[in-house]
Amino acid sequence: MKSDTKDAALKRLARIEGQVRGVSKMIDQDRYCIDVVRQVQAIKAALGGLEKVVLDDHLETCVEDALTSDDVDARREKVEELVAVLGGRKK
């Protein structure tokens, strides 16, 4: 993972951790259910953004390296990984 991506991912994770702690407090305080749901939706969106950042970095590093190499098995493996993860399957 590139260092700038790593930094960005860690910052996003710290923000997400804070959001999750906030939801925990909201539940403990018996806050209005819809307010809790909205915060959960915000966390899911933040996780989606993190996923995109990590996946983009993977494409620009690991996948690009494999696709430009002479190793056919490595290329095949990276493509299979992408198909599996984008299709919601475990490899």
Side-chain angles (χ1 to χ4, degrees):
M1 184 177 285
K2 296 182 288 187
S3 63
D4 58 328
T5 302
K6 185 176 183 177
D7 292 342
L10 290 172
K11 286 178 185 176
R12 285 174 181 260
L13 278 169
R15 191 167 39 248
I16 292 166
E17 286 179 65
Q19 288 176 297
V20 171
R21 282 192 299 276
V23 168
S24 180
K25 288 179 188 176
M26 290 175 75
I27 291 172
D28 187 50
Q29 297 168 351
D30 292 321
R31 297 279 297 272
Y32 186 56
C33 296
I34 295 301
D35 292 340
V36 173
V37 169
R38 286 189 177 126
Q39 290 305 308
V40 170
Q41 290 173 333
I43 292 167
K44 287 167 55 176
L47 284 169
L50 173 63
E51 179 181 24
K52 182 184 180 320
V53 166
V54 173
L55 187 56
D56 286 348
D57 183 85
H58 181 65
L59 289 169
E60 293 172 5
T61 56
C62 302
V63 175
E64 187 174 314
D65 289 345
L67 293 178
T68 58
S69 79
D70 293 331
D71 187 345
V72 174
D73 290 334
R75 289 185 288 193
R76 182 174 290 117
E77 179 184 349
K78 294 304 177 202
V79 170
E80 288 174 359
E81 283 177 345
L82 287 173
V83 169
V85 76
L86 294 174
R89 300 185 316 257
K90 293 185 180 184
K91 182 176 183 271

